Amino acid sequence: ALERADVAGKAVVAGIRPEHLRLLKDGEEEVSFISGEVDVYEMLGSEVLLYFDIDEANFTAKVNPRTTARPGDTVKLALDLEKVHIFDKDSELVILN
């Protein structure tokens, strides 16, 4: 288990793969989510990638191709916190994987 002392006072970088983000459905309650405006919609065969920025951080989400989200739309994306990776910003070493 990660102890708070492991990251206390350190600048960290968090990362999560696009397939570990999913669009929240209307009325769905989720504790861990991010919300942002879609900048780019990219159809790649049987999947769609949505690109957006939140507070200077770039995000890409791999979503169902039937999504109605388009550039300019604000979407909420659930995070699978078990899939988040944390890195020490200075050394780039893994803190939590």
Side-chain angles (χ1 to χ4, degrees):
L2 178 69
E3 306 236 352
R4 285 188 68 87
D6 291 339
V7 295
K10 288 186 180 182
V12 298
V13 174
I16 188 166
R17 296 189 52 79
E19 59 269 23
H20 297 134
L21 295 171
R22 66 176 175 79
L23 289 172
L24 287 179
K25 297 176 184 132
D26 287 339
E28 183 180 7
E29 296 286 327
E30 183 69 36
V31 174
S32 303
F33 73 89
I34 54 176
S35 179
E37 184 177 311
V38 176
D39 293 324
V40 176
Y41 168 101
E42 182 177 16
M43 183 88 163
L44 297 172
S46 64
E47 61 190 24
V48 167
L49 297 179
L50 301 177
Y51 300 89
F52 52 100
D53 298 326
I54 300 173
D55 296 330
E56 299 180 27
N58 305 70
F59 287 87
T60 303
K62 188 184 297 184
V63 299
N64 187 306
R66 292 187 303 268
T67 184
T68 59
R70 295 293 185 266
D73 292 348
T74 298
V75 295
K76 286 185 178 179
L77 295 151
L79 299 167
D80 183 346
L81 293 180
E82 292 182 9
K83 303 294 183 179
V84 172
H85 304 276
I86 307 292
F87 303 89
D88 182 296
K89 186 175 181 179
D90 297 324
S91 71
E92 298 182 0
L93 295 175
V94 174
I95 295 172
L96 176 66
N97 185 333

